[in-house]
Amino acid sequence: MENRIDNLDRISALPDEILHHILSFVSPKQAVRTSVLSKSWKEMWHTCPILVLDDDQSRDRFARAKEVLKCMEQTLLNRHMEMISLTKLMISLLFFWDDEFVALIDRCVCFAIGSNVNELELRFPIFGGGYNLPQIVFCAKSINVLELYRCNLSHPRIGVQLSLRKLCLVGVYVDDQMIENLFARCPSIEYLTIESSGGFKSLELFSLRKLHEVKMSHNDELEKVEINALNVHSVSITDMKTCVINVASCKNLKFLLLSELSIKDDWLCNVISDFSLLQFLSITSCDELRSIKISSPSLKELVINGSDLVAVRLETPNLSIFKFSGHPISFTLNAMALSETDLYVYGYDDDIKVDIQVLVEYIELLVKFNQCSEVLNLQHCTGAVVIVPRECRQILHPPLCGAKHLNLQIDGLFDFTIPQLVDSLLWLSPHIETISMSFHLGDSHKYSFQFSYKEQLTHEGEIPPCCQSFPISCWQNCLKGVQIEHTATCFARPASVSEMKTLEMRTYGESFYFHDNIWDELERLYLNLRNKFSYLFDINSD
């Protein structure tokens, strides 16, 4: 019988590395309990290289969190006495805090350093004034990853001797002298994150030859940031409007994200032109920008979001993905071959009805991206602007004759039908291969259309009267078939009002293929689906 049980216990036969990985997901107290499982597990918890305390699992039990922390303290003491090394210590106390917790954490940190811990991560609650980091941490040569959340760093009485590869400061208080000393003594930092921290007004990053990535956000007291590190590849700076930023010396930059900053047109133009290796650029909510001019032969992805912009000029021959959100503006696009374009232009369809002038302006905008983007993603409030009246189609030319794939997302409800949308989208982009539409019709719906066309672009050997003024024939005369897939995520309709609190989400899907009387079939499909969902899912149908 005993041999049979051993044969069934395949988990205990796994390598120590895998068993240690399993233990990293449980609390220290639970890890100790695994010692009774088998001989293989008896000492496994004792040598686990990663110790984690996360009070998220015990947020409603103050005493339990303290008990687990005491268990961790004893475990760390035993490891220290037996000289068992530790890879990582993570303590996260986001819901409980008092003086006894502080004393326990101090001892845990000291014992971990005595075990030559490599990674130290400490997270504490917003209330409580922050945790004062013990001075011993600054002379722990074994620590190469230090992540601190809501801690206080005072100037050490001894010199900083850390060998940091990664530093993350979130909600940390540290003065100018300490921040300067920290970077002067840690020249091997590769990854740096500073978020929502204060106490220092200037940050100058020099002589950090291995610095690879910098992320900074919401540091309200910071007045100046200067990054002079030749090997930096990624910089993200967010929500620091009063800060003067200098990143011009980062000549090898490949990724740059700028959001909610007080930068000017000339500053942006001059800085971008110096980055010959830049591949990704995101500029969002920088309200002082009016005209953006970007000239970059290396840029592959560009994101622009600005409600106060008036013009964008791009000279980016290798740009592949372009995403824009904002009010209608002037675009100048030179020599681009985009694989994907996202457009969310405010103000075109805030109302259900769109006048002819707005419609013409929108079509002119779409023409800018014709032939230069294979996939076009459009997002609108109501979608009314894409419904082109038939009388307008006689005087306007389809703007997207070169697009192959069109995706439309509508934020709210509308008073026109799916067949009307399909009809208009096929006019906007004749002979398009696929159309995808996502919107709310009481719930979340998505329609995907895949079209096939006749080989000839004429109807019965002659050009139809309705197509004589167009470069290619309209869809009614050359459409061969359409494959339709419809998916919906909806609330199940309750049997009674009392059951409304227990609503469940359901995902529904079906597919169709039409090749005869396609327009009539689309109308019939739309009515059937709407009736079906009103009956099965729409709780407001009563």
Side-chain angles (χ1 to χ4, degrees), residues 141 143-144 160-167 179-192 204-212 228-232:
K141 296 181 179 181
I143 296 179
N144 55 56
V160 175
Q161 302 178 43
L162 294 169
S163 301
L164 293 182
R165 178 179 57 84
K166 178 180 179 180
L167 176 63
I179 200 86
E180 182 180 351
N181 188 17
L182 189 61
F183 290 114
R185 298 298 185 93
C186 299
S188 298
I189 289 180
E190 298 176 24
Y191 303 93
L192 173 64
E204 298 180 354
L205 303 177
F206 297 99
S207 302
L208 300 178
R209 296 180 180 180
K210 295 185 178 181
L211 189 60
H212 179 81
N228 189 341
L230 188 61
N231 292 317
V232 169

Side-chain angles (χ1 to χ4, degrees), residues 24-146:
S24 68
F25 292 98
V26 301
S27 69
K29 189 173 183 180
Q30 291 171 322
V32 172
R33 290 174 179 171
T34 63
S35 62
V36 301
L37 295 177
S38 69
K39 292 180 180 179
S40 299
W41 286 94
K42 187 174 181 180
E43 298 295 331
M44 195 60 59
W45 68 272
H46 194 53
T47 58
C48 184
I50 299 176
L51 289 180
V52 175
L53 170 61
D54 188 349
D55 70 344
D56 184 57
Q57 300 175 357
S58 57
R59 64 178 66 183
D60 57 343
R61 296 190 60 181
F62 180 90
R64 181 184 173 189
K66 190 166 293 186
E67 181 184 357
V68 173
L69 187 57
K70 289 180 179 179
C71 179
M72 174 175 278
E73 177 196 9
Q74 186 61 47
T75 301
L76 287 166
L77 175 59
N78 293 339
R79 297 177 69 108
H80 173 54
M81 297 297 292
E82 298 179 26
M83 295 186 293
I84 300 175
S85 61
L86 182 64
T87 300
K88 179 177 180 178
L89 174 65
M90 191 271 238
I91 299 176
S92 177
L93 290 171
L94 302 180
F95 303 97
F96 309 117
W97 195 251
D98 65 9
D99 291 341
E100 190 174 354
F101 274 116
V102 173
L104 283 168
I105 294 167
D106 284 346
R107 292 194 290 271
C108 285
V109 170
C110 291
F111 294 148
I113 292 174
S115 296
N116 295 318
V117 64
N118 300 134
E119 301 179 23
L120 181 62
E121 182 176 346
L122 305 175
R123 298 170 178 258
F124 302 109
I126 298 176
F127 58 89
Y131 171 69
N132 295 318
L133 195 69
Q135 295 278 305
I136 192 175
V137 173
F138 298 111
C139 60
K141 296 181 179 181
S142 64
I143 296 179
N144 55 56
V145 175
L146 183 60

